[in-house]
Amino acid sequence: IRPLESITQFYQEGKAMHHCVYQNEYYKRKDCLILTAQKNGERLETVEVNLKTFKIIQSRAVCNKTSEYHNQIINLVNRNMEVIRRAAV
């Protein structure tokens, strides 16, 4: 799981996952962090974290569905929320 760091990465994520992370310009939102969860180079889900509340807003797989790893991804991000909080300050 790692953050999307460029507009190109947002475009690629949106195109591969068939959802609106690029089209709705999530890269312009200052109060959210967008992560990509991947396994062996395969995109599993895109995760949105609110940087004010440090809560997961959504985690979506292809076509806004959930993957078989959904619960594991959510748990992993939540277990590391303090790391995200420290990095955001």
Side-chain angles (χ1 to χ4, degrees), residues 19-36:
H19 57 50
C20 67
V21 71
Y22 175 77
Q23 183 180 350
N24 286 352
E25 299 180 335
Y26 278 75
Y27 52 86
K28 289 184 177 180
R29 297 182 183 187
K30 300 199 184 314
D31 62 343
C32 75
L33 173 66
I34 304 298
L35 307 167
T36 181

Side-chain angles (χ1 to χ4, degrees), residues 7-9 12 14 21-22 24-27 32-33 36-37 42 44 49-50 52-53 59-60 70-71 78 88:
I7 294 174
T8 300
Q9 288 179 345
Q12 291 168 340
V21 71
Y22 175 77
N24 286 352
E25 299 180 335
Y26 278 75
Y27 52 86
C32 75
L33 173 66
T36 181
E42 177 187 349
L44 301 173
V49 175
N50 182 297
K52 291 181 180 178
T53 63
S59 187
R60 303 284 185 232
H70 180 77
N71 291 335
N78 279 327

Side-chain angles (χ1 to χ4, degrees), residues 51-54 80-89:
L51 293 176
K52 291 181 180 178
T53 63
F54 293 96
N80 288 281
M81 199 61 76
E82 188 56 37
V83 175
I84 294 170
R85 183 188 309 268
R86 286 193 307 262
V89 175

Side-chain angles (χ1 to χ4, degrees), residues 52-69:
K52 291 181 180 178
T53 63
F54 293 96
K55 303 279 185 205
I56 296 172
I57 303 300
Q58 58 182 331
S59 187
R60 303 284 185 232
V62 173
C63 298
N64 288 320
K65 296 182 179 178
T66 56
S67 72
E68 65 181 290
Y69 298 98

